[in-house]
Amino acid sequence: MTHPLLRDIALLLPPLRRLVQGRDAARAERDCLRAALEARIARLEEIATEARAEAARLAEAAAQEREAQHRRDAAARMAEGNARVEQALSLVRQEYTVLPRFGFHQPLDYETDSLPPRFGAPVLRDGEALPLPAPEDRFGYPAEDAAYLRMGAMDAAIIRQAIDRHLGPREGLALLDFGCSSGRVLRHFEAERRASGWHLHGVDIQARPIEWLRLHFPPDYTVSTGTVQPHLAYPDNSLDVIYGFSVFTHIKYLWDMWLMELRRVLKPGGLLLQTLHTETAWAFYHQHRDEDWVRRAHSPRLAEAPAMPEDWFHHGDIAVSQAFWKAETARRNWSRYLEVLELLPPQHDYSFQDMMVCRKRG
């Protein structure tokens, strides 16, 4: 007969086995979950490390971009500042060295130490007694030799014909080219200088062309650098003829004082010949109003009005000026200072300027 205690223990073995198995399964599941959790934590820490590294990289990139932008902004500010300085210097140069208000002329250079300027080699042509400036030293006049000579000769012919009409043949005539540049017109009176003893003078506010003339024209030509102030270094009543091309066309300031100064140095009965912008020039510029060389130097008013609307109109400042007169207004105003003999329309194909011919009353 089986003992009751053994029988009870035998009855308990299957449940205990199941409990042990359940416990073991729970432990195994726990260990698996723990391993998975530890792996997840490790991955999260890895992701966090990567995120911190990416954040650091982005922060560094942002800092570099800010620094680059700062450098760009600084460069832009510096460029803008340099542009403003250059603009200011340009205005200063215009005010004090190009066409200044205080009597200076246009200098050879803007340096503290000035040296003899470098010019291109003068051009020698058969049949020409005097050398021509190199094309770069013609100061805006034609670079082609034949055109340069032809234009100067036609302008000289206007002066010569007016002398013939109003003075007649003259020995030893004293003639001044007012605004002579590098002798574009003055050179064409070389025959009269040699044959008739004419005394040839030139003055210009630009120092470079005067220096060129000193180097390449005979010493009998008296040339000098003038100023924008109404003053000439000539005695009273000392010149027979004063002519100028494209000078009073650019005198906005003190034009009347200049007329009085030119009258002072003319001999009684002497001639003054000067080109002017009148209605003809206004129409010419209006026709070419869309071209850069016109827009740079002229008022928008000229582009707007096909015909000159006012009796006179002066545009610009001290550096670049354009002076226009209606023909009858110019005749009336100039006759206050000199006897007006003629106001000629443009005399050749190169010109769109009228020529005022006056005489100093005796």
Side-chain angles (χ1 to χ4, degrees):
M1 180 173 186
T2 304
H3 194 281
L5 179 60
L6 292 175
R7 187 187 57 197
D8 292 340
I9 293 171
L11 291 173
L12 289 174
L13 284 175
L16 287 173
R17 189 179 299 112
R18 286 193 296 273
L19 286 173
V20 169
Q21 290 173 345
R23 181 202 64 188
D24 292 343
R27 285 177 178 175
E29 183 179 1
R30 180 200 64 190
D31 292 342
C32 183
L33 289 173
R34 179 180 292 167
L37 181 59
E38 289 175 351
R40 180 65 58 87
I41 291 171
R43 179 56 184 154
L44 290 175
E45 289 177 349
E46 183 181 340
I47 291 172
T49 300
E50 292 174 354
R52 285 193 293 269
E54 180 65 13
R57 187 188 67 78
L58 291 175
E60 177 65 20
Q64 292 176 354
E65 176 59 25
R66 287 195 297 272
E67 179 63 23
Q69 185 61 47
H70 176 73
R71 289 194 296 268
R72 289 194 293 268
D73 292 344
R77 288 193 296 271
M78 181 174 292
E80 182 181 1
N82 289 341
R84 289 180 178 178
V85 168
E86 184 56 37
Q87 182 182 27
L89 287 175
S90 177
L91 292 173
V92 169
R93 288 168 182 161
Q94 292 175 4
E95 182 71 15
Y96 293 100
T97 59
V98 180
L99 289 178
R101 292 177 179 168
F102 303 110
F104 302 125
H105 59 265
Q106 183 172 349
L108 292 169
D109 54 56
Y110 299 109
E111 306 301 327
T112 303
D113 297 332
S114 293
L115 299 170
R118 296 183 182 275
F119 295 111
V123 178
L124 304 178
R125 286 178 57 100
D126 292 341
E128 290 296 320
L130 300 173
L132 282 69
E136 63 268 24
D137 299 322
R138 294 177 187 176
F139 302 93
Y141 289 104
E144 199 274 318
D145 293 348
Y148 179 82
L149 288 169
R150 182 169 180 265
M151 184 179 184
M154 289 191 295
D155 284 342
I158 299 172
I159 306 305
R160 195 175 287 111
Q161 292 161 9
I163 291 172
D164 291 343
R165 288 195 301 273
H166 300 294
L167 289 181
R170 288 289 180 96
E171 297 290 323
L173 181 144
L175 180 147
L176 170 65
D177 187 327
F178 180 61
C180 64
S181 190
S182 48
R184 180 186 66 89
V185 179
L186 193 60
R187 63 181 298 110
H188 293 284
F189 296 106
E190 173 67 5
E192 285 86 353
R193 185 184 74 84
R194 295 187 179 191
S196 303
W198 283 20
H199 303 285
L200 303 182
H201 303 263
V203 64
D204 201 289
I205 63 166
Q206 298 183 84
R208 284 186 65 87
I210 294 298
E211 187 67 15
W212 189 92
L213 288 170
R214 288 193 188 104
L215 290 172
H216 298 292
F217 271 32
D220 288 344
Y221 284 73
T222 303
V223 295
S224 59
T225 308
T227 78
V228 297
Q229 294 298 309
H231 173 72
L232 292 171
Y234 292 97
D236 296 354
N237 307 315
S238 58
L239 299 171
D240 295 288
V241 176
I242 302 173
Y243 70 83
F245 290 89
S246 294
V247 179
F248 272 89
T249 54
H250 304 295
I251 297 181
K252 178 176 182 177
Y253 305 102
L254 304 176
W255 63 267
D256 47 0
M257 292 293 286
W258 266 116
L259 285 178
M260 296 174 70
E261 176 64 5
L262 295 171
R263 182 184 66 182
R264 178 187 69 79
V265 299
L266 275 174
K267 296 177 182 178
L271 296 181
L272 175 69
L273 304 97
Q274 298 290 321
T275 61
L276 297 175
H277 285 153
T278 67
E279 295 95 325
T280 304
W282 183 283
F284 173 83
Y285 283 122
H286 180 80
Q287 180 183 355
H288 296 277
R289 61 190 178 277
D290 294 327
E291 299 185 31
D292 288 342
W293 64 276
V294 175
R295 290 202 301 265
R296 283 195 303 268
H298 289 275
S299 168
R301 293 173 184 268
L302 188 145
E304 296 165 1
M308 187 174 169
E310 306 291 346
D311 285 349
W312 58 265
F313 175 68
H314 296 167
H315 166 72
D317 204 339
I318 206 67
V320 179
S321 298
Q322 302 286 350
F324 290 86
W325 306 82
K326 283 190 175 179
E328 287 308 309
T329 302
R331 183 188 291 272
R332 182 180 69 246
N333 286 350
W334 284 48
S335 67
R336 288 177 171 272
Y337 309 98
L338 298 145
E339 178 187 358
V340 175
L341 301 176
E342 305 174 281
L343 181 55
L344 305 173
Q347 296 293 289
H348 55 71
D349 292 341
Y350 282 98
S351 178
F352 49 84
Q353 299 175 1
D354 292 14
M355 173 65 78
M356 183 75 82
V357 183
C358 303
R359 176 163 52 203
K360 179 175 177 176
R361 298 179 181 92

